[in-house]
Amino acid sequence: MAKQIVSAPAARRRTSRATKMTGAQVLVETLRRERVKVLFGHPGGASLPIYDALYDATDIRHVLVRHEQVAAHAAVGYARASGRVGVCTATSGPGATNLVTGITDAMMDSVPVVAITGQVPRPVIGNDAFQEADVTGVTMPITKWNVLVMRADDVARRVQQAFYIARTGRPGPVLVDIPRDVSQESCDPEFVDGIPVPEYRPVLDGNPNQIAAAAELLGSAQRPMIYAGGGIISGNASAELTALAERTRIPVALTLMGKGAMDELHPCCLGMLGMHGSAYANWAMNEADVILAVGVRFDDRVTGRLRDFAPRARFIHIDIDPAEIGKNKPAHVPIVGDAARVLAALAAQVRPPQIDPWWAQITEWRERHPFRYRQRDGQISAQFVCDLINRLTGGTAIVTTDVGQHQMWMAQWYRPRAPRSFISSGGLGTMGFGFPAAMGAKFACPDRQVIAVVGDGGYQMTMQDLITAVEHRLALPIIVVNNGALGMVRQWQTFFYRNRLSSSILRNPDFARIAEAFGARGIRVDRPEQVEPALRSALATEDGPCVVDVIVDPEENCLPMIPSGQSVAEMILDE
Amino acid sequence: MSEAHTATISVLVENSPGVLVRVAGLIRRRGVNIHSLSVGPTENAAVSRMTIVVDTPPERTEQFAKQLRKLVEVRRATAVDGQQTVDRELALVKVNANPGTRMEIMEIANVFRANVVDLTDRTMTLEVTGKGEKVDAIVSLLAKHGIREIARTGQATLVRGAQAT
């Protein structure tokens, strides 16, 4: 069978030739042409030729991590903070399989990442060679696309295709697996000048009739809502979303992935909805008569029980991925296209609906049940820490989180003013994500304040790479919200398993002293009045990472909460 | 085998390694059984056609086709149920046959327009082409003679008329 994605047109496309190079040199040259400035990785036997070629590439910065999972998460953090493709690399076998969690995270959250893995030499592929794993087989269901490159001549085209596919349409991770002897083989590289996968061109402009129907539906709505998600951020559609909201005054609820898609201090923005979203955003969705869903996938953490989700609403669903439309909820007006283009077209023709009574109702809900927290005597409330991070930064920093209670509290209390400022593992819910993603974000945006907010459980999954942050003198505050437990597991056991705390209580090391042993700053605080000075000091630390171990109230639960698979009616508001 | 819960999807794919695994993996991931799958080259050497019959309720069929279209190697995926189609399957059926039963088996073969493609003193192999139900029918009639082996190609489908599948 012909070993190519692009068959007949390939021969006719214009290509540019250079002089003889090795496959690894071609790879590095292709990375350069894709304007890659940083890659995160860890070398090994099968990727030695690649690392030898990187040795000469003084314009491409290689960040040596201590575990490949960190490389993948850092590439995700880099991509989500910058909007550019993040790149990670690992050797064959265990190196590549260590990338799997990070690649899956990128798949679930639609993040453009290219993973380059070494593979054993061609003659021994399939023979259970040392450090061999079927990496294209393993990653098939967790990549947008992957390829095993069997000729050095193909390296340039395959890598160009990988970058194009990763960033085009609905973004996602792509893996390129390169056998060691392909990296060593000499070839005449052929770089594609045009689009490297001509067949893959997602629809960008929405159908005008559908856009007109959507405008009509929104204009006549009495209780409209906009339900906006990560697609706004990856589609760079924040300005268009804000313009539409301002023109129509339609309230906007954001998903976890959509946080920052709109300035969360904007009067039209109701913040996050869903399982731990605001009561008022969830009540508003529940009562809405028309919902404009854009760049969202009706995830179960948003909808709860599907049939009870927004039961009175008719849906307009805009997405660049046709498979998302109607996947979980039928769309009355489906629109396939690029969020920015469709929202701009919609804003130009929509007639602002008459919704003063609707806003009066929402305002009443908002006043009746804002986010709030208790502070027990002598205990530090985790929500207070999150609230304080928001106040100290004014929502202008890039924050990353791990997964669990602290993540939801940050989602509730941190109110980003701009997109690409809240980076959290959404779909996959990956513990250990927050700190490496913050490193990636800091490499992408060295002039921005970047803060990792992690749990004591998640931090221990990737903590070893603190040395990487020290080595690169990253000004990176790492706030460990330490409740001595796997807090969200503990919370579910409290609510749904009669408080039988099975394996959810942690004996922790001293995170501040560990930081010091790595050569970072470490601060431990366990009294409320210590928190603000410690955070201020950490945020002002310029020459390296600063770990703040904050011992918080271990009994706090994350509320409100819509229990899994239930509806707004079953929302738990208070203890 | 109930027809009520199968869906037929016709897929044009790049003729390259691993595509079959990608398609099959996408279906497997959803816990759906592949009822039949036929694949072969088309008029364009770079493209193969797969006709996939899956055990899935009709309301999920379009979602299946959409997910298939997300694979970079898939050029086209069409859920053809509800359209006017030509559906064919070929089966080779090796049945016990001795001189005493040969005539009866050949009568059955005649009714179903099946061809005798092999004959020994103990067996007869028939080639039958048609819709799946027709193949099922001849197989059930031959059963009393003792079926030794069956090889079925799985369904191949094209939409009738000028419209592309």
Side-chain angles (χ1 to χ4, degrees):
Chain A
M1 290 188 161
K3 166 77 192 159
Q4 47 186 36
I5 239 194
V6 185
S7 310
R12 290 196 300 273
R13 256 177 297 123
R14 286 195 307 125
T15 55
S16 47
R17 280 173 176 277
T19 48
K20 281 243 187 255
M21 298 165 88
T22 67
Q25 287 170 332
V26 176
L27 168 67
V28 170
E29 176 57 25
T30 316
L31 295 178
R32 190 173 283 128
R33 288 174 180 232
E34 295 291 340
R35 293 191 290 280
V36 173
K37 301 281 176 242
V38 182
L39 72 162
F40 304 91
H42 194 288
S47 58
L48 279 170
I50 295 172
Y51 275 82
D52 192 59
L54 281 171
Y55 195 74
D56 297 323
T58 50
D59 53 336
I60 298 177
R61 189 173 185 185
H62 178 270
V63 178
L64 173 64
V65 296
R66 302 305 192 263
H67 187 293
E68 292 86 349
Q69 182 180 352
V70 168
H73 289 326
V76 166
Y78 182 93
R80 287 179 63 178
S82 67
R84 299 192 296 270
V85 177
V87 187
C88 57
T89 177
T91 191
S92 65
T97 57
N98 276 346
L99 293 175
V100 164
T101 303
I103 294 172
T104 315
D105 187 274
M107 186 68 173
M108 290 291 273
D109 287 343
S110 307
V111 185
V113 165
V114 170
I116 292 155
T117 49
Q119 181 54 277
V120 299
R122 282 169 294 184
V124 296
I125 287 180
N127 288 0
D128 307 321
F130 177 65
Q131 291 193 330
E132 180 180 8
D134 174 11
V135 171
T136 46
V138 167
T139 58
M140 201 172 272
I142 55 160
T143 51
K144 187 175 172 187
W145 183 65
N146 67 20
V147 65
L148 171 63
V149 184
M150 290 295 275
R151 298 186 319 151
D153 290 339
D154 291 337
V155 169
R157 185 168 54 92
R158 289 312 198 185
V159 175
Q160 287 179 297
Q161 288 175 341
F163 276 82
Y164 174 76
I165 290 170
R167 67 171 172 254
T168 303
R170 180 180 181 170
V174 173
L175 182 140
V176 183
D177 201 20
I178 308 178
R180 192 179 70 206
D181 59 333
V182 172
S183 290
Q184 288 166 326
E185 188 174 66
S186 171
C187 69
D188 297 311
E190 287 192 24
F191 297 96
V192 180
D193 288 341
I195 293 173
V197 193
E199 294 81 0
Y200 182 63
R201 290 199 205 199
V203 173
L204 297 179
D205 289 310
N207 178 313
N209 295 332
Q210 295 292 87
I211 291 172
E216 179 61 35
L217 196 55
L218 282 175
S220 58
Q222 294 178 321
R223 300 182 309 282
M225 283 291 292
I226 296 174
Y227 156 34
I232 299 288
I233 295 171
S234 54
N236 297 315
S238 289
E240 288 77 4
L241 173 69
T242 305
L244 178 68
E246 285 178 348
R247 180 165 151 67
T248 59
R249 292 182 57 239
I250 299 176
V252 179
L254 301 173
T255 66
L256 178 71
M257 287 300 296
K259 273 186 73 68
M262 185 172 176
D263 178 353
E264 292 196 27
L265 297 186
H266 193 285
C268 284
C269 185
L270 303 189
M272 187 176 77
L273 81 171
M275 181 178 275
H276 292 289
S278 67
Y280 45 89
N282 286 326
W283 283 329
M285 291 294 284
N286 192 48
E287 291 298 324
D289 63 349
V290 174
I291 292 175
L292 175 66
V294 49
V296 294
R297 56 189 180 85
F298 291 77
D299 178 69
D300 54 80
R301 285 297 188 267
V302 165
T303 65
R305 193 190 298 124
L306 262 179
R307 89 182 121 82
D308 292 330
F309 176 66
R312 297 156 188 84
R314 283 185 288 172
F315 289 100
I316 301 158
H317 192 173
I318 302 168
D319 207 290
I320 198 153
D321 178 0
E324 282 306 331
I325 295 176
K327 185 180 84 176
N328 292 336
K329 264 296 209 199
H332 300 81
V333 182
I335 305 175
V336 175
D338 171 69
R341 292 199 196 187
V342 176
L343 288 175
L346 192 53
Q349 33 182 302
V350 69
R351 175 171 49 84
Q354 300 299 315
I355 53 172
D356 290 340
W358 178 228
W359 266 112
Q361 172 67 77
I362 289 173
T363 306
E364 191 268 316
W365 283 330
R366 219 176 193 169
E367 286 163 4
R368 194 198 313 166
H369 214 288
F371 286 125
R372 52 191 164 211
Y373 56 88
R374 60 175 186 175
Q375 283 179 285
R376 299 200 296 166
D377 268 356
Q379 300 263 21
I380 300 171
S381 147
Q383 296 99 312
F384 163 71
V385 177
C386 298
D387 188 16
L388 193 57
I389 293 169
N390 184 53
R391 282 187 275 128
L392 292 177
T393 61
T396 59
I398 297 173
V399 301
T400 70
T401 80
D402 260 13
V403 167
Q405 283 186 319
H406 76 280
Q407 174 194 35
M408 290 297 115
W409 282 321
M410 276 304 283
Q412 292 176 343
W413 290 98
Y414 190 71
R415 303 173 79 182
R417 310 298 307 274
R420 305 194 181 281
S421 306
F422 187 85
I423 298 173
S424 186
S425 173
L428 193 65
T430 313
M431 289 174 69
F433 171 86
F435 162 56
M439 281 204 289
K442 191 68 185 179
F443 276 106
C445 307
D447 300 329
R448 295 274 307 274
Q449 174 94 65
V450 178
I451 305 170
V453 182
V454 298
D456 45 322
Y459 182 46
Q460 291 183 70
M461 292 192 175
T462 44
M463 181 169 70
Q464 78 286 333
D465 262 85
L466 192 54
I467 193 63
T468 309
V470 170
E471 187 177 354
H472 290 272
R473 301 168 65 89
L474 293 184
L476 183 62
I478 301 159
I479 317 301
V480 184
V481 181
N482 184 348
N483 59 2
L486 302 169
M488 194 60 92
V489 174
R490 203 270 303 138
Q491 175 172 340
W492 284 49
Q493 288 173 337
T494 299
F495 285 0
F496 310 120
Y497 292 87
R498 296 177 286 127
N499 209 34
R500 287 153 54 88
L501 305 184
S502 182
S503 298
S504 57
I505 304 301
L506 294 175
R507 176 187 169 145
N508 283 326
D510 183 328
F511 293 113
R513 285 176 59 200
I514 287 183
E516 286 169 358
F518 273 113
R521 282 188 71 203
I523 309 172
R524 179 185 165 94
V525 298
D526 55 10
R527 293 203 311 278
E529 67 274 14
Q530 298 171 319
V531 178
E532 182 164 342
L535 287 183
R536 282 187 184 279
S537 170
L539 265 54
T541 304
E542 284 187 346
D543 53 349
C546 177
V547 175
V548 186
D549 183 10
V550 189
I551 310 300
V552 300
D553 187 343
E555 290 176 22
E556 198 58 45
N557 291 314
C558 185
L559 297 173
M561 177 182 195
I562 300 174
S564 184
Q566 298 190 27
S567 74
V568 175
E570 288 116 326
M571 180 157 50
I572 302 168
L573 286 168
D574 292 295
E575 297 278 351
Chain B
M1 298 276 279
S2 106
E3 289 295 312
H5 288 295
T6 63
T8 306
I9 303 171
S10 186
V11 192
L12 289 176
V13 299
E14 301 290 342
N15 184 359
S16 64
V19 175
L20 181 62
V21 179
R22 285 177 201 279
V23 168
L26 187 147
I27 296 170
R28 175 204 57 77
R29 194 153 77 85
R30 287 167 178 76
V32 169
N33 185 42
I34 296 176
H35 183 74
S36 76
L37 188 155
S38 77
V39 52
T42 64
E43 70 283 2
N44 178 348
V47 175
S48 299
R49 182 184 299 279
M50 296 181 182
T51 305
I52 309 170
V53 181
V54 284
D55 293 337
T56 190
E59 65 271 17
R60 299 297 299 164
T61 314
E62 183 54 31
Q63 175 62 25
F64 247 110
K66 282 179 174 177
Q67 293 291 346
L68 285 166
R69 282 176 213 131
K70 284 176 73 168
L71 296 176
V72 173
E73 291 88 345
V74 168
R75 288 197 176 175
R76 188 176 162 88
T78 320
V80 297
D81 299 282
Q83 300 189 53
Q84 292 286 319
T85 55
V86 183
D87 309 318
R88 288 294 180 270
E89 180 175 4
L90 184 143
L92 297 173
V93 186
K94 189 188 290 178
V95 63
N96 288 325
N98 55 45
T101 59
R102 267 183 207 156
M103 288 311 293
E104 185 184 345
I105 294 169
M106 288 183 71
E107 254 176 47
I108 295 170
N110 276 338
V111 170
F112 285 89
R113 299 197 182 129
N115 297 320
V116 178
V117 291
D118 186 43
L119 183 65
T120 68
D121 53 355
R122 284 178 294 168
T123 66
M124 187 184 277
T125 301
L126 303 182
E127 168 205 321
V128 60
T129 308
K131 287 198 170 211
E133 300 94 310
K134 175 179 167 185
V135 177
D136 293 342
I138 189 170
V139 167
S140 69
L141 277 174
L142 293 170
K144 73 166 189 181
H145 298 284
I147 293 171
R148 299 172 76 97
E149 284 183 312
I150 296 181
R152 290 172 74 151
T153 58
Q155 178 181 321
T157 292
L158 286 180
V159 169
R160 288 183 185 271
Q163 190 199 333
T165 303

